[in-house]
């Protein structure tokens, strides 16, 4: 076992992690631990843009952006956080420009902007061009730009280090962070990183679903390891299903296609979003568009031999315009479906995309042990965190903004904390739990296979916890997940080696997914209303009287939540500053 000492340790090297590292690395001795090489992080898959009220091509301001974020999140957004994000969005974009990001430009040389779902002018009156973009590979450009600047500032990276535990001490009855425990893929060695501050930026957990835009690595590691150490998870029931995944595959086609004029049509050729969102049509928030698409299919208006998808029509756009603005996503259609977007509509259907819930934080990025208590030295940012700037439904392009605004804040605040904090003592046995877990798994002789259990988990999540949910489907999912967790105890792997043992790590990641899937389903069962990405067919209306609150899910061996032992559900008030909840029309 090796021991390292740093002021700040950042877990994850996607957009949020590297944005934090750029700030922290200039203020304190910082290490970034990442399970994959930084430029392979999932931020690189983000396509459409990063929004900010620059007003470069149309009148716009940060207050309209704040309102759209709150309304888009179906009023479960913490409004102080939305104000921070919208105000700081402009500097966040300009920071990236100064770092060298090659944004698309207007003829006058300004950063160009385009429309995206749910972004409007004058509090909902008409769509507005707010998304700053680099063709349809904006996330890729952000990731490369941030990595180049991390190298410029001498940030230390530990690549292919899997963080499997966070060291949290109890001091005067309160949790205080002391470091992390990591597994090095190249050697199989365990490393303890002692640090005064830890920033989690580990991304999402979409691989609990079968049809997903998420990469194989998105298994919720950061959420799972903090959850096991007593940190709650906030709003786990809210998962976003992006409307335009390639049918049958889940590979994402950016909302930018609709921002550039793409139209969703059913088998009859009807532009059906005119019925569901008459004002902004195909550019309604993602939860509304995804449900509308699924409803068209359920009511028999789906396209294809099995009538199980709808069509994204780009054929009315000039090929030169498509090539200039949407080069990657049109190539995806050709490569994966054999469809020529110039002349044929593209088959699409909703795909699991983004978790609105996660590790609860303040607007400073500080992790909360409960509704009021900050864990000194522990921070989180990006998709693994829940500052609740997205509420129950994230607007497109707010994710790339979120990672830059709150990644920057977490990095600055972690480094400033480390300047005056004392290094907490790290016990000699701090890594024992991880060592035992790794050795037990590596030497397991069980008969259950990782792939079988993961496939069954993904099947039940797709079938029962996707766009439409009911009490019956959720209880069935919870029952199946419980049985899968029992089978997981009898898991076996084939690779007994120490080096590059991905068999071992996929088994550990499966354990994380099972635990988080249960948290999602139990929180969804508890929320007996429909709001944003959570739609209960047995409770189709939003219920502000009983459910205008965040759901906080705790691991607690002495409690039972919705009939599931070992879990406790509590609530947390939504912060309302300027915008009272109102009917959500588009």
């Amino acid at each position: 076992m090796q021991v390292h000492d740093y002021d700040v340790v950042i877990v994850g090297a996607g957009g949020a992690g590297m944005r934090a590292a750029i700030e922290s690395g200039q203020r304190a001795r910082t290490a970034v631990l990442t399970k994959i090489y930084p430029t392979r992080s999932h931020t690189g898959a983000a396509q459409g843009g990063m929004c900010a009220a620059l007003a470069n091509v149309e009148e716009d301001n940060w207050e309209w952006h704040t309102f759209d974020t709150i309304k888009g999140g179906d009023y479960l957004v913490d409004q102080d956080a939305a104000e921070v994000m919208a105000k700081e969005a402009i500097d966040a974009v300009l920071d990236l420009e100064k770092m060298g990001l090659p944004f698309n430009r207007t003829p006058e040389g300004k950063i160009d902007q385009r429309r995206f779902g749910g972004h409007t002018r004058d509090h909902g009156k008409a769509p507005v061009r707010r998304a700053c973009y680099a063709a349809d590979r904006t996330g890729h450009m952000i990731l490369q730009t941030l990595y180049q600047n991390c190298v410029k500032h001498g940030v230390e990276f530990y690549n292919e280090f899997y963080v499997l535990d966070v060291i949290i001490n109890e001091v005067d009855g309160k949790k205080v962070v002391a470091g992390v425990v990591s597994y090095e893929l190249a050697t199989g060695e365990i490393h303890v990183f002692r640090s005064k501050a830890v920033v989690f930026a580990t991304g999402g957990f979409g691989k609990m679903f079968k049809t997903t835009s998420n990469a194989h690595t998105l298994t919720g590691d950061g959420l799972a390891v903090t959850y096991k150490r007593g940190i709650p998870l906030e709003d786990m029931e809210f998962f976003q299903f992006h409307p335009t995944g390639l049918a049958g595959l889940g590979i994402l086609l950016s909302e930018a296609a609709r921002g550039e004029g793409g139209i969703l049509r059913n088998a009859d050729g009807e532009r059906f979003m005119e019925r569901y969102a008459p004002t902004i049509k195909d550019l309604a928030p993602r939860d509304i568009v995804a449900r509308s698409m699924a409803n068209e299919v359920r009511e028999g208006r789906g396209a294809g031999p099995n009538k199980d998808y709808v069509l994204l029509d780009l054929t009315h756009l000039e090929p030169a315009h498509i090539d200039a603005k949407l080069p990657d996503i049109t190539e995806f259609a050709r490569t994966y479906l054999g469809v020529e977007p110039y002349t044929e509509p593209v088959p699409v259907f909703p795909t699991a995309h983004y978790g609105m819930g996660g590790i609860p934080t303040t607007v400073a990025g500080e992790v909360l042990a409960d509704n009021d208590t900050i864990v000194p030295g522990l921070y989180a940012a990006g998709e693994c965190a829940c500052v609740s700037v997205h509420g129950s439904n994230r607007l497109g392009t707010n994710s790339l903004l979120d990672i830059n605004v709150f990644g920057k804040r977490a990095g600055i605040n972690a480094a400033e904390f480390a300047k005056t904090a004392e290094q907490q003592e790290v016990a000699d046995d701090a890594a024992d739990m991880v060592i035992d877990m790794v050795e037990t798994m590596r030497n397991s002789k069980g008969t259950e296979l990782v792939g079988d259990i993961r496939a069954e988990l993904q099947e039940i999540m797709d079938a029962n916890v996707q766009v439409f949910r009911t009490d019956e489907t959720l209880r069935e999912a919870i029952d199946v997940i419980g049985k899968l967790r029992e089978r997981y105890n009898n898991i076996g792997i084939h690779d007994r080696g120490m080096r590059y043992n991905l068999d071992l790590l996929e088994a550990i990641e499966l354990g994380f997914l099972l635990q988080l899937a249960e948290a999602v389903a139990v929180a969804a069962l508890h929320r007996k209303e429909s709001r944003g990405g959570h739609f209960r067919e047995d409770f189709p209306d939003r219920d502000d009287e009983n459910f205008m609150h965040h759901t906080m899910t705790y691991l607690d061996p002495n409690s039972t939540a919705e009939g599931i032992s070992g879990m406790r559900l509590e609530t947390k008030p939504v912060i309302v500053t300027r915008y009272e909840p109102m009917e959500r029309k588009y």
Side-chain angles (χ1 to χ4, degrees):
M1 185 179 76
Q2 296 189 38
V3 179
H4 311 261
D5 286 285
Y6 285 90
D7 295 320
V8 179
V9 166
I10 296 169
V11 186
M18 288 202 286
R19 190 65 188 87
I22 288 170
E23 300 299 332
S24 176
Q26 298 178 68
R27 295 171 169 85
R29 187 159 183 250
T30 300
V32 179
L33 279 58
T34 172
K35 66 194 278 188
I36 57 175
Y37 195 75
T39 51
R40 289 183 57 225
S41 297
H42 203 55
T43 298
Q47 298 166 349
M50 172 177 166
C51 54
L54 299 181
N56 281 355
V57 292
E58 289 181 338
E59 183 186 359
D60 200 4
N61 66 61
W62 69 265
E63 292 182 73
W64 296 350
H65 185 184
T66 302
F67 172 77
D68 289 338
T69 299
I70 293 164
K71 182 181 176 183
D74 220 350
Y75 294 92
L76 207 76
V77 171
D78 284 337
Q79 296 185 17
D80 60 337
E83 289 177 19
V84 165
M85 186 176 74
K87 282 181 181 177
E88 296 183 8
I90 296 163
D91 282 342
V93 169
L94 298 180
D95 283 348
L96 289 171
E97 182 187 33
K98 290 167 188 171
M99 289 182 201
L101 196 148
F103 285 109
N104 276 51
R105 300 282 171 174
T106 66
E108 299 77 32
K110 296 180 180 180
I111 294 172
D112 201 3
Q113 296 181 274
R114 62 182 168 203
R115 292 175 178 173
F116 242 76
H119 292 284
T120 68
R121 70 165 68 90
D122 200 14
H123 301 93
K125 290 187 178 177
V128 72
R129 300 181 189 278
R130 186 177 291 151
C132 309
Y133 63 98
D136 58 354
R137 48 179 79 105
T138 313
H140 174 80
M141 297 299 188
I142 288 174
L143 199 65
Q144 300 291 333
T145 301
L146 292 177
Y147 183 60
Q148 290 163 5
N149 280 269
C150 283
V151 172
K152 171 183 170 182
H153 291 297
V155 172
E156 293 184 63
F157 286 91
Y158 288 81
N159 297 328
E160 296 184 325
F161 276 65
Y162 281 62
V163 171
L164 300 178
D165 196 15
V166 57
I167 304 168
I168 294 179
N169 295 339
E170 292 283 341
V171 179
D172 299 328
K174 294 184 178 181
K175 298 182 189 316
V176 184
V177 77
V180 299
V181 183
S182 181
Y183 173 94
E184 184 182 3
L185 184 61
T187 64
E189 286 187 278
I190 302 299
H191 296 251
V192 172
F193 287 79
R194 295 188 299 210
S195 64
K196 299 172 184 177
V198 173
V199 180
F200 275 94
T202 53
F205 47 97
K207 286 306 289 185
M208 66 176 60
F209 293 94
K210 179 182 177 183
T211 305
T212 178
S213 65
N214 285 197
H216 194 67
T217 53
L218 291 187
T219 51
D221 308 2
L223 289 80
V225 300
T226 54
Y227 187 45
K228 287 182 178 178
R229 289 300 182 188
I231 305 298
L233 298 176
E234 182 174 351
D235 287 344
M236 290 296 283
E237 64 268 43
F238 297 113
F239 205 93
Q240 181 173 94
F241 299 91
H242 195 292
T244 51
L246 288 179
L249 298 173
I251 296 169
L252 194 66
L253 292 190
S254 172
E255 195 167 307
R258 286 174 282 135
E260 295 295 341
I263 295 170
L264 291 167
R265 301 189 188 278
N266 58 25
D268 302 325
E270 177 197 6
R271 187 180 188 178
F272 58 86
M273 283 309 301
E274 291 181 334
R275 286 190 274 111
Y276 296 97
T279 302
I280 55 178
K281 304 179 181 68
D282 303 272
L283 288 175
R286 288 175 178 173
D287 62 316
I288 294 173
V289 180
R291 277 195 302 277
S292 303
M293 292 168 64
N295 194 58
E296 289 297 296
V297 168
R298 293 206 314 176
E299 293 185 356
R301 294 184 292 276
N306 298 319
K307 298 186 179 296
D308 57 355
Y309 55 77
V310 298
L311 300 166
L312 176 63
D313 184 6
L314 304 173
T315 59
H316 55 288
L317 302 178
E318 286 293 328
H321 182 78
I322 293 174
D323 290 342
K325 299 295 181 71
L326 307 168
D328 277 4
I329 67 171
T330 51
E331 195 59 35
F332 291 164
R334 296 182 188 110
T335 300
Y336 295 109
L337 292 181
V339 171
E340 175 48 69
Y342 293 165
T343 57
E344 302 171 84
V346 183
V348 290
F349 197 72
T351 180
H353 183 56
Y354 188 93
M356 272 73 75
I359 304 165
T361 74
T362 68
V363 291
E366 303 155 315
V367 171
L368 294 164
D370 54 39
N371 291 3
D372 306 303
T373 308
I374 291 166
V375 181
L378 189 57
Y379 300 81
E383 190 176 352
C384 76
C386 183
V387 65
S388 203
V389 79
H390 306 306
S392 61
N393 173 65
R394 176 178 68 75
L395 291 187
T397 69
N398 266 352
S399 59
L400 291 179
L401 177 59
D402 172 12
I403 61 176
N404 279 282
V405 168
F406 293 105
K408 178 179 179 178
R409 282 176 156 246
I412 292 171
N413 292 323
E416 293 299 324
F417 175 86
K419 284 181 180 178
T420 57
E422 294 288 329
Q423 172 62 55
Q424 291 293 312
E425 182 179 345
V426 175
D428 292 339
D429 63 353
D432 284 3
M433 190 271 284
V434 169
I435 293 170
D436 290 346
M437 175 174 64
V438 168
E439 287 306 305
T440 299
M441 192 71 73
R442 198 164 61 87
N443 297 304
S444 61
K445 294 181 172 63
T447 57
E448 295 285 354
L449 298 178
V450 172
D452 291 346
I453 294 177
R454 185 174 57 221
E456 290 185 41
L457 170 66
Q458 293 171 338
E459 290 280 358
I460 193 66
M461 292 298 287
D462 259 26
N464 286 29
V465 197
Q466 216 210 35
V467 176
F468 296 113
R469 302 165 173 178
T470 67
D471 183 277
E472 182 182 358
T473 65
L474 291 169
R475 290 190 187 279
E476 182 185 0
I478 292 166
D479 181 59
V480 170
I481 294 166
K483 291 174 181 174
L484 292 177
R485 292 188 68 182
E486 290 175 14
R487 287 170 55 190
Y488 180 75
N489 294 327
N490 185 37
I491 208 162
I493 64 172
H494 298 299
D495 189 348
R496 310 291 184 192
M498 296 289 288
R499 295 173 179 272
Y500 290 100
N501 193 338
L502 292 172
D503 202 11
L504 164 68
L505 289 168
E506 286 188 8
I508 292 171
E509 290 169 336
L510 174 60
F512 295 159
L513 285 175
L514 287 166
Q515 194 153 48
L516 296 176
E518 185 175 67
V520 169
V522 170
L525 185 61
H526 165 75
R527 185 171 287 274
K528 296 173 176 58
E529 66 156 357
S530 291
R531 185 187 298 266
H534 168 73
F535 190 83
R536 288 281 299 265
E537 292 187 279
D538 43 353
F539 297 97
D541 298 322
R542 194 178 82 192
D543 182 357
D544 288 342
E545 185 176 343
N546 295 304
F547 289 97
M548 188 62 177
H549 58 242
H550 302 296
T551 306
M552 306 294 282
T553 306
Y554 294 79
L555 273 184
D556 185 346
N558 302 314
S559 298
T560 300
E562 298 294 332
I564 307 302
S565 60
M567 298 175 70
R568 182 174 88 253
L569 293 180
E570 295 185 359
T571 64
K572 177 183 171 186
V574 176
I575 297 173
V576 177
T577 57
R578 302 173 64 189
Y579 299 105
E580 291 296 327
M582 57 188 286
E583 189 177 359
R584 191 166 171 250
K585 288 184 176 180
Y586 285 96

